Amino acid sequence: MSQTMLDGSSHSHADGKCPAADIFGPNPHAFCPPQDGDLRSPCPAVNTMANHGYIPRDGKHLNADIIIPALMECYNISKPFALVLTYGSLHLLQQGTKEFSLHDLARHGYIEHNASLCHADAGPGEEYAPVHPDLKMMQEFFADSAGGLVMNTEDVARARVRRESSYPGGSGLDLNHAVIACGEISAVLNIFNHPDPQLVARGVPLQPPSTFSWLFGLLGLARSPDPEITPTDGVSINVLRRWLQEERLPEGWKPYHETTLRSILLTTNKMRSIMRKLRAEASVDEVNPSSTTIASGVSAGIAATKDETSSSTGTVS
């Protein structure tokens, strides 16, 4: 048995374990992609936990007692947030049983929803949505980055508005799933928001100070932010691409900070506020087109009137 097994050579994850990861090194969370018979979901967060062995690698026979500590260990999610996330998801899933598989999360219209940023919708009449990311959609998502290096709350809000506005009526989501969609990506922005001096050197700003830090600054008690320890304002696109496409953690992964329910609610509220503003601006643009467009329309109208008048009087231009 060789190291290449961890990079995708065929083997079995019977009983949720990986023989390659068990043999090679003391790291129980070495990456191994899904093998034949393994189950996965449209959610890269839980798929990644399976690929790294935080939960059974086959994605089967899962329950709250498995998921909650795995979320806390893998992503440093606070226990209250892990409890709300897990039991809230089980309630929405409506399985009627405490046990589930990752593929159950793909059941359309329960937790899974339309207008995903990187996954295609379930087909007409399909019970389950696709579990693999759509690479074209992923590139469109990253193209919403204003600076091209990171995705921050404003970038993601722009992406969500773009995606949802592609549906008749401009949404495609009911209120519950609209909030879920923002909450999902808000968690990603919080979990992977790490210090990155190289990005700062390329012009990416640091995370804005908290209210308390801002007050300390006014009093002259705050230190200047250090890019070595202060997260950037956004998550590296390179990190997101690897995580979304390969469902794999960054090399040497260690969560920089705890992600709390409060931080997710704050980010979600900010994102939805930006989305409302973007939609309002788009509506104004539709009602009040640019002066150039108005001028063009007036000119066309005048020309048409002249043509009609000339025609009715028999005049030849």
Side-chain angles (χ1 to χ4, degrees), residues 259-289:
T259 296
T260 65
L261 182 59
R262 178 178 179 274
S263 67
I264 300 304
L265 292 175
L266 288 173
T267 305
T268 299
N269 288 338
K270 178 181 178 182
M271 186 180 301
R272 288 178 60 78
S273 175
I274 296 171
M275 290 172 66
R276 286 192 292 271
K277 181 180 178 181
L278 291 172
R279 288 192 176 109
E281 291 173 350
S283 297
V284 169
D285 289 342
E286 289 178 4
V287 174
N288 301 309

Side-chain angles (χ1 to χ4, degrees), residues 120-135:
D121 293 347
E126 294 289 335
E127 182 179 0
Y128 293 93
V131 299
H132 299 296
D134 184 299
L135 299 186

Side-chain angles (χ1 to χ4, degrees), residues 222-298:
R223 298 178 180 178
S224 298
D226 182 351
E228 294 286 344
I229 60 175
T230 305
T232 56
D233 184 23
V235 178
S236 164
I237 286 178
N238 289 336
V239 169
L240 284 177
R241 181 180 288 108
R242 177 184 175 120
W243 184 69
L244 290 168
Q245 185 171 336
E246 300 180 31
E247 297 178 329
R248 182 174 188 166
L249 294 170
E251 292 297 333
W253 168 250
K254 184 179 181 181
Y256 179 69
H257 54 73
E258 184 179 60
T259 296
T260 65
L261 182 59
R262 178 178 179 274
S263 67
I264 300 304
L265 292 175
L266 288 173
T267 305
T268 299
N269 288 338
K270 178 181 178 182
M271 186 180 301
R272 288 178 60 78
S273 175
I274 296 171
M275 290 172 66
R276 286 192 292 271
K277 181 180 178 181
L278 291 172
R279 288 192 176 109
E281 291 173 350
S283 297
V284 169
D285 289 342
E286 289 178 4
V287 174
N288 301 309
S290 67
S291 58
T292 301
T293 303
I294 294 175
S296 299
V298 171

Side-chain angles (χ1 to χ4, degrees), residues 13-237:
H13 285 161
D15 300 323
K17 298 179 181 180
C18 176
D22 289 343
I23 287 177
F24 290 102
N27 179 15
H29 301 304
F31 172 80
C32 184
Q35 303 298 303
D36 289 343
D38 292 352
L39 300 179
R40 291 296 183 263
S41 76
C43 175
V46 289
N47 290 349
T48 299
M49 290 198 301
N51 291 344
H52 283 274
Y54 288 94
I55 61 176
R57 291 180 182 265
D58 59 4
K60 303 174 183 178
H61 307 298
L62 305 173
N63 57 49
D65 291 337
I66 292 173
I67 295 295
I68 291 169
L71 286 169
M72 295 170 64
E73 182 184 5
C74 180
Y75 296 117
N76 198 14
I77 286 176
S78 69
K79 188 169 184 177
F81 180 32
L83 288 167
V84 169
L85 188 60
T86 303
Y87 285 109
S89 297
L90 288 174
H91 173 73
L92 291 172
L93 198 56
Q94 299 180 22
Q95 288 281 94
T97 175
K98 295 180 179 180
E99 188 172 284
F100 63 97
S101 74
L102 288 186
H103 195 243
D104 289 328
L105 303 182
R107 291 177 65 209
H108 179 56
Y110 290 81
I111 300 173
E112 185 278 335
H113 53 80
N114 285 341
S116 167
L117 293 172
C118 297
H119 286 78
D121 293 347
E126 294 289 335
E127 182 179 0
Y128 293 93
V131 299
H132 299 296
D134 184 299
L135 299 186
K136 182 177 181 292
M137 291 175 64
M138 192 181 301
Q139 288 306 114
E140 292 172 347
F141 171 50
F142 294 142
D144 285 308
S145 168
L149 295 174
V150 300
M151 298 296 294
N152 58 30
T153 307
E154 290 80 7
D155 298 327
V156 173
R158 188 162 42 251
R160 285 241 50 92
V161 170
R162 170 185 55 78
R163 184 75 174 96
E164 293 177 25
S165 64
S166 66
Y167 290 81
S171 177
L173 293 173
D174 57 50
L175 179 59
N176 285 340
H177 285 105
V179 173
I180 288 172
C182 287
E184 291 167 342
I185 194 64
S186 293
V188 175
L189 293 179
N190 278 271
I191 289 169
F192 291 103
N193 188 23
H194 285 203
D196 193 328
Q198 293 183 355
L199 285 176
V200 174
R202 298 178 66 183
V204 175
L206 295 174
Q207 186 180 60
S210 65
T211 302
F212 288 114
S213 298
W214 180 76
L215 289 174
F216 286 149
L218 287 180
L219 297 172
L221 301 176
R223 298 178 180 178
S224 298
D226 182 351
E228 294 286 344
I229 60 175
T230 305
T232 56
D233 184 23
V235 178
S236 164
I237 286 178

